[in-house]
Amino acid sequence: MSLSRRHMPPLGCLTAFETVARLGSVTDAARELDLTQSAVSRQIQKLETLVGCPLFERNRKRLYLTTNGTNYAQEIRAALAQISTATIALQANPDGGVLDLAILPSFGTHWLAPRLPGFLRAHPGITLNMSTRIVPFDFASENFSAAIHYGDGNWPGAGRLKLWDEQIVAAASPALLQSAPAADLPRLQLQTRPQAWAEWSKSHGLADPGRPAMIVDQFATMLRAALAGLGVALIPDYLVDQELDRGNLVVLPQTHPVSTGAYYLVWPEGTEHDPALSAFRSWLDDESRPIRDQALSR
């Protein structure tokens, strides 16, 4: 993505603005930046001229952020922090690279994290940073190198690598399963997948069960709720394999795994040749191949 210079304020203006916004004083900002008060004031005025609106309200000698100024300060502060983080990472690993990865919480905790030591051993020069995101976002506004995405692979302005088709199962505690007919048991549903039960029911030739008893925001919460006997979890098989093997959960009788989407690695278009991204993409493809091969052999 190309950046127009006319939309890129000088770094000095942004630094002066962020410092004044944070400290609430031109005098204190000038002291922190080792500049004169007039120099800081000129930087602020130059920035306001560039953006075309006032960022501060001036009351005698005090400055107060406008609404636009408050919102802009939050964005600029995050951008300056990103620049600082990237600089520190480059200083620490001048021969490596930085990979800022957005991950799905349960995928990252249960599948990706246990495998990452192998990647980092193979690529010691790469700095890997991870943050959780549960819904797709715009790479233009979120400064990530790549993201782990669940769905149909449709992510505008991004390249993609399919990892594997997710298989979801309906699982419950043995005690709950014995308490009532399966059709009458309460259900657990993920907030970001409102159609999951309808799709699962359709694949089994059943009627749409309607509103679930409990909605949760993460699979980890759903798993704990299922173990506590609060409902039937519609959950990826790789997240419950251990609990099924231990007998803590059981799959509903006469049901089968259902695929409603797949996991993808996605990245901003034009960055596919970034060394850190290329290394991670190749490694992730190799790590996920056994799951794809297992699905083909079924």
Side-chain angles (χ1 to χ4, degrees):
M1 179 182 65
S2 63
L3 298 174
S4 173
R5 285 183 173 272
R6 64 190 182 91
H7 295 305
M8 289 289 293
L11 185 59
C13 292
L14 297 176
T15 303
F17 166 66
E18 188 282 327
T19 307
V20 174
R22 173 165 42 85
L23 299 178
S25 166
V26 171
T27 301
D28 292 342
R31 187 178 298 113
E32 179 174 310
L33 297 172
D34 196 22
L35 297 171
T36 64
Q37 294 182 40
S38 59
V40 173
S41 296
R42 286 195 299 272
Q43 297 278 36
I44 298 298
Q45 292 170 2
K46 182 176 181 179
L47 181 60
E48 289 180 321
T49 299
L50 192 151
V51 299
C53 67
L55 300 172
F56 292 96
E57 293 179 356
R58 293 162 175 80
N59 185 0
R60 297 183 180 180
K61 293 185 178 181
R62 294 191 61 82
L63 296 178
Y64 301 91
L65 282 167
T66 63
T67 300
N68 286 334
T70 298
N71 295 333
Y72 192 51
Q74 293 175 349
E75 297 287 344
I76 294 305
R77 187 169 295 118
L80 291 176
Q82 183 65 36
I83 293 172
S84 177
T85 299
T87 303
I88 293 172
L90 179 59
Q91 291 171 336
N93 295 293
D95 298 322
V98 178
L99 187 71
D100 293 310
L101 183 66
I103 59 172
L104 298 167
S106 296
F107 180 98
T109 301
H110 293 275
W111 190 86
L112 182 61
R115 292 168 169 79
L116 281 177
F119 171 74
L120 295 175
R121 283 194 299 269
H123 305 279
I126 294 178
T127 298
L128 179 63
N129 304 314
M130 294 187 292
S131 297
T132 57
R133 294 291 187 278
I134 62 175
V135 295
F137 55 85
D138 186 356
F139 277 116
S141 59
E142 294 259 26
N143 197 11
F144 284 107
S145 311
I148 302 294
H149 167 52
Y150 168 83
D152 59 6
N154 181 25
W155 192 308
R160 65 181 182 177
L161 169 69
K162 184 176 180 179
L163 303 180
W164 72 80
D165 289 306
E166 181 189 77
Q167 300 291 322
I168 56 174
V169 296
S173 68
L176 179 66
L177 194 58
Q178 294 172 8
S179 67
D184 297 331
L185 295 177
R187 296 177 306 281
L188 306 172
Q189 180 169 297
L190 195 67
Q191 179 181 356
T192 54
R193 302 189 188 182
Q195 301 302 317
W197 272 106
E199 294 174 1
W200 182 89
S201 299
K202 182 179 179 181
S203 74
H204 285 83
L206 303 174
D208 186 340
R211 183 180 178 85
M214 182 182 296
I215 297 176
V216 298
D217 65 345
Q218 293 188 25
F219 278 129
T221 306
M222 180 183 289
L223 179 58
R224 299 308 303 175
L227 290 168
L230 297 179
V232 182
L234 203 56
I235 191 167
D237 55 2
Y238 74 91
L239 293 179
V240 293
D241 280 344
Q242 289 187 354
E243 301 300 342
L244 293 174
D245 290 342
R246 295 167 181 164
N248 296 328
L249 293 175
V250 293
V251 174
L252 293 191
Q254 300 179 339
T255 65
H256 55 80
V258 174
S259 178
T260 59
Y263 291 107
Y264 293 84
L265 176 70
V266 295
W267 57 88
E269 285 182 342
T271 66
E272 59 272 8
H273 299 301
D274 176 82
L277 174 59
S278 295
F280 183 74
R281 182 173 59 238
S282 177
W283 172 82
L284 193 59
D285 189 29
D286 289 341
E287 287 292 317
S288 58
R289 183 171 291 112
I291 302 178
R292 295 195 299 272
D293 292 344
Q294 182 180 7
L296 291 173
S297 65
R298 287 173 181 162

